[in-house]
Amino acid sequence: MRIYAEMNNAQLVTTAVKLDQSQKEYKSKLDAVKAELQGRGLRIIEDRNVKFIKFFSSDGNVSVMDSQQIDVLNPDKLKKLLSEGVWEAKVKETTETKYKYDSRLEQMLKAIFTGDYTFEYTLESFLDEMSIKPDAKQKKLLIKKLKGDYVKDKQTLVSVFGYPNEDAAPDFDVELYYIYKIKNGELIKAFLPEDGLDQTIEAIKKCLIVDSKTSITIDYDKE
């Protein structure tokens, strides 16, 4: 900028120092605000078993995302525990001897590691225990459409129970969390043999590490 070209050396140094101090001050404040938003976002994410939440204002929006990455410590042992058939169908070995896991198998493994599953209910029996009980037609539709995804399942419940929109419906948070855990339980039973299921789950857990990473993105009109 032309204004800086007209400054002497001492003035430029003073300006540089003040700008650097301001930058550090604003970065510290921004980091504090981002940490607060991340904390609020994570609480919602944990309550709703979602991986993404967005906060809005008239100036823009902030997205908080929680992602999990699975690290299999002992692929050979996991292969034996899953059975060769499941391994061959759901795991892709690359030439670098890396393993690419089918998304549903990966979801099942993450559920085992985090404990986000239940065998207490089947989906059918749980629907009979809900505070708002579906009739036979609604129940049949829900069993078919519920997948264990918070956002999509909430839309399904709102639609099937005939609410005009989500604001008019109950929050369904407890029900949605149980549905998520039930669907994960179904995955576990689909992939693993019934005999010695509890022991197999514990053995698989010892083969895994699941790391969580939270990211935050600030978006606004740059112009």
Side-chain angles (χ1 to χ4, degrees):
M1 291 184 181
R2 184 171 181 80
I3 185 173
Y4 299 137
E6 296 174 354
M7 291 182 179
N8 61 35
N9 292 342
Q11 289 172 325
L12 283 171
V13 170
T14 297
T15 302
V17 169
K18 288 182 177 178
L19 288 173
D20 188 66
Q21 289 172 335
S22 296
Q23 183 183 34
K24 289 176 179 176
E25 179 184 354
Y26 279 110
K27 185 180 183 306
S28 177
K29 290 179 179 178
L30 177 59
D31 287 344
V33 172
K34 287 168 72 174
E36 179 63 28
L37 284 166
Q38 273 190 328
R40 294 184 187 189
L42 278 174
R43 285 194 290 274
I44 296 172
I45 284 168
E46 288 168 1
D47 286 343
R48 299 182 179 179
N49 68 277
V50 294
K51 300 300 178 188
F52 176 85
I53 189 72
K54 187 175 279 191
F55 300 111
F56 296 91
S57 83
S58 58
D59 295 308
N61 63 79
V62 170
S63 304
V64 179
M65 180 178 291
D66 185 50
S67 59
Q68 291 181 330
Q69 185 172 358
I70 191 168
D71 182 10
V72 178
L73 303 175
N74 193 331
D76 292 332
K77 184 177 180 182
L78 181 61
K79 182 176 182 178
K80 292 177 183 177
L81 292 165
L82 289 175
S83 82
E84 190 168 343
V86 169
W87 185 269
E88 295 296 331
K90 299 297 181 182
V91 180
K92 184 178 180 181
E93 297 185 23
T94 69
T95 54
E96 303 172 67
T97 322
K98 291 184 178 178
Y99 301 95
K100 183 173 175 139
Y101 299 90
D102 174 88
S103 59
R104 291 174 71 77
L105 177 65
E106 188 169 328
Q107 180 182 339
M108 185 272 287
L109 294 173
K110 288 175 180 176
I112 284 177
F113 187 85
T114 59
D116 284 337
Y117 63 89
T118 184
F119 303 131
E120 181 182 0
Y121 296 100
T122 63
L123 183 56
E124 184 174 3
S125 66
F126 178 73
L127 292 174
D128 291 332
E129 298 292 325
M130 287 178 59
S131 56
I132 303 172
K133 293 181 173 55
D135 59 32
K137 185 177 179 182
Q138 290 170 331
K139 184 177 177 181
K140 185 176 180 180
L141 192 58
L142 288 172
I143 289 172
K144 181 179 179 181
K145 296 189 74 172
L146 292 171
K147 303 298 182 185
D149 180 293
Y150 177 92
V151 175
K152 292 179 181 177
D153 286 352
K154 185 167 188 177
Q155 292 170 350
T156 295
L157 289 174
V158 169
S159 173
V160 169
F161 283 120
Y163 293 100
N165 52 57
E166 291 189 11
D167 292 336
D171 61 27
F172 289 122
D173 279 359
V174 173
E175 290 86 350
L176 288 163
Y177 183 55
Y178 264 96
I179 290 166
Y180 165 71
K181 292 175 72 172
I182 289 166
K183 297 304 287 187
N184 282 341
E186 289 178 1
L187 274 180
I188 291 170
K189 287 188 173 181
F191 283 122
L192 301 180
E194 285 190 29
D195 291 341
L197 181 60
D198 290 342
Q199 291 88 344
T200 303
I201 287 171
E202 288 305 311
I204 287 175
K205 198 181 293 186
K206 292 175 183 176
C207 295
L208 308 174
I209 289 179
V210 175
D211 293 321
S212 293
K213 179 182 178 183
T214 307
S215 60
I216 184 167
T217 304
I218 302 173
D219 191 26
Y220 54 92
D221 187 351
K222 303 299 189 293
E223 295 180 6

